[in-house]
Amino acid sequence: MLKILFGLLILSAALLSPGAFADKPKKVNLPKSYESKLAPEEITDADRTFIELREAAKKNDVFRSQQLAAALANYPYDDYVAYFRIKPQLFDSGGGARADTGADTQVNAFLNQYQGSAIADRMRNDWLLVLGKRKDWSNFDAEYAKFIVDDDTTVKCYVLQSHLAQGENASKVAFDARSILIDPRYFGQSCQELVPLLVQAGGMTTSEGRAIGRAANEMGFDTMSRRLGGEDPIADVVKMAKTDPVRAYKDFQQIGNRYSKENQAVAWGVIGQFLAKKLDPNADDAYRLQQSLGYNELLSTESQEWKVRAGLRAKDWLLVKQAIEGMNPAVRSRDPAWTYWYGRALKAEGQDAKARESFELIQDQFNFYGQLAREELGKSNHAPARTKVSEQEIDVMANRNGFIRAQHLYAMNLRFEGNREWNWELRNMSDKQLLAAAEYGKRVNLYDRVVNTADRTKQEHDFTLRYPTPFKDDLAPIAKQIDLNLAWAYGLIRQESRFIMNASSNVGASGLMQVMPNTAKYVAKKIGMTSYTSQQLQDRNTNLTLGSNYLNMVLNDLDGSWVLASAAYNAGPGRSKQWREKLDGPVEGAIFAETIPFNETRTYVKNVLSNSSYYASVMQGQSQSLKQRLGIIAPKAATQSDLP
């Protein structure tokens, strides 16, 4: 999470007042088969050794992993023990795949013994990285055909290397590569090898290779940048744009004509990106200069997306339209934002029929932009009809092996492995089976799995499961006492922690509302909680009390704007105010949210407001307007606040 610092986020939450679809407080008489699943599982000495084994395997400590695995000869999770014993042999201490590993026989035996399991698919992922590094394309292709999850960009780049090595047309391989080479953070060694190979084979131009390298440079991966695209003629401009975009903008106006038309275009794109991230109004001008020169296809994903945002901030609908039309199709299609804003740009031009076509493409999506698109089409935003499942269908889920395994892994606080087992069990389930699994998760208090599982349905839905309301007896009185909107509070918790009680972030935030320790002390003092100690932050009621009061404080400090307050809760009130102060006039809340400079906070605000709208619909049984919740954000002079 950011939460007053830079950082990473951690999970989510949801709810409001009773309504037609609300979870009503009532005693649930669980079957006896569930009672043991609700009781805290005892962690044995063997479990502790298993946890230690897992940590040794994460570090690729071969000796320690072998030693600990040997001590777990009869452990019930024998597949994981074997995996954690073998995996360190496949990677070096830095996490890179080893081509010279001697574990071939062990890996093949493991894949045969545990075929069809979640952990076997994880092992196959690891093994593909080894085979790819070896350039053993025959065995690589055979194993890749069995790889089910297939979500590893590094593996995908090895797939394309295999195609190229076996004589596939370089232009065809390059076409496929453009939908993969989107985010340099996930490239790995294989993608860094693939791009020069494609340039050498004539599938990509030297300019395209440089553009991919420049995208890495923009993110600070300088060594990767040179591996991908070689020396970049505008490397100095990129460096200046990253550190001082205002100066880069002024300087390049003077020296830009020294460069080729292509290099001028991409330089203006980079400058525009970093100006836009500073919310500098000159970003629109920089991007218009780039647009006049062309070469949209050579802009990085970040530059393409911030070109749209710069246009939105400046209310330059022509630039918004041109930016989206010039996007890499893979970039444009991965986020419904660009479909929605393209429709808005068409509408601004008076092309209402075409705008409707754009909105209709995403109107069935239950997300921030799906909701806004429905409002543009004059349709209501409400929770869909609830599909109920039978007790028999729910009971079936209690005996699914993946769920049983997941629950014990959760008891050991091994959420990564637990989620893998739970999600593997969901494969190929019908909507009703997913709802039964979600309801089972609710009955055993795994609310993050409830949300994750119910979120997967396509045609039949239960939004009381997508947007559940646990701990209502604790939260509702707190919210009522301070007049805090309960749907918004639940929408924020759903995003913050996914209702995981012991959730913690990398910067120290904890609990259901992910409260920072210093913030907790501040709020406790403000509300007169004189006996507060830091240990109390782990208590559910205390966490909800402090988090709710802080949320209400930032809301009051930011003139009642849920957009600004949600951003403040994640990134700090000071940043939220700074972003508002840089407005040159009132803007829609949706535009403000889309142009928040921090990736995490931007996603966070959109999710919290979308969650809140659905929570209100579920709780009140009425259609909701997301646009009204977003409101209009107007600039305001800087004000002082003592809020942390």
Side-chain angles (χ1 to χ4, degrees), residues 30-265:
L30 295 174
K32 288 188 179 295
S33 60
Y34 293 169
E35 290 178 1
S36 63
K37 298 175 187 296
L38 280 166
E41 294 194 44
E42 181 181 351
I43 303 302
T44 66
D45 289 341
D47 290 334
R48 295 184 183 92
T49 301
F50 180 74
I51 294 168
E52 192 176 350
L53 169 61
R54 184 237 200 189
E55 293 307 304
K58 282 176 66 177
K59 298 173 183 176
N60 295 319
D61 186 335
V62 176
F63 176 77
R64 187 62 176 151
S65 296
Q66 301 274 7
Q67 186 182 50
L68 291 165
L72 290 167
N74 298 312
Y75 194 68
Y77 286 72
D78 60 307
D79 51 351
Y80 274 88
V81 171
Y83 172 76
F84 289 143
R85 175 178 57 79
I86 297 169
K87 181 257 182 184
Q89 301 174 58
L90 309 183
F91 299 92
D92 59 33
S93 59
R98 293 180 52 193
D100 61 346
T101 178
D104 298 45
T105 301
Q106 296 177 63
V107 171
N108 288 323
F110 181 95
L111 293 174
N112 287 330
Q113 181 175 357
Y114 300 111
Q115 60 180 317
S117 68
I119 195 62
D121 205 56
R122 176 65 251 180
M123 176 66 87
R124 179 164 282 111
N125 192 157
D126 295 339
W127 190 230
L128 285 167
L129 297 176
V130 171
L131 294 173
K133 185 159 187 177
R134 288 180 182 173
K135 315 303 181 197
D136 182 354
W137 301 127
S138 177
N139 284 317
F140 178 91
D141 291 347
E143 290 299 333
Y144 181 68
K146 304 172 191 175
F147 187 30
I148 295 173
V149 174
D150 195 15
D151 61 353
D152 189 323
T153 301
T154 302
V155 169
K156 292 178 187 294
C157 282
Y158 275 136
V159 170
L160 296 182
Q161 280 197 46
S162 175
H163 293 176
L164 199 61
Q166 296 177 69
E168 187 166 318
N169 181 274
S171 296
K172 169 64 168 61
V173 176
F175 178 84
D176 294 337
R178 291 184 186 98
S179 64
I180 295 170
L181 298 171
I182 301 296
D183 192 334
R185 291 174 297 176
Y186 307 111
F187 280 4
Q189 180 180 340
S190 64
C191 300
Q192 295 176 55
E193 294 171 346
L194 176 64
V195 173
L197 287 172
L198 286 170
V199 172
Q200 184 180 2
M204 281 186 178
T205 66
T206 301
S207 293
E208 287 180 288
R210 282 180 182 155
I212 296 169
R214 188 177 305 116
N217 189 7
E218 290 171 11
M219 290 188 173
F221 303 125
D222 296 349
T223 301
M224 182 195 296
S225 174
R226 289 189 289 274
R227 288 175 181 165
L228 287 162
E231 294 299 323
D232 185 358
I234 66 160
D236 290 341
V237 179
V238 175
K239 182 178 180 180
M240 176 61 73
K242 289 193 294 183
T243 57
D244 190 347
V246 174
R247 179 180 168 189
Y249 172 75
K250 292 177 181 177
D251 287 356
F252 205 71
Q253 287 178 314
Q254 304 300 317
I255 65 171
N257 57 10
R258 301 178 190 173
Y259 294 83
S260 68
K261 182 180 177 182
E262 174 188 314
N263 287 330
Q264 288 183 57

Side-chain angles (χ1 to χ4, degrees), residues 269-290:
V270 174
I271 293 168
Q273 176 198 151
F274 287 97
L275 284 171
K277 288 177 175 177
K278 294 286 187 182
L279 304 181
D280 190 307
N282 286 318
D284 185 67
D285 182 57
Y287 273 124
R288 281 192 280 108
L289 288 167
Q290 177 274 314

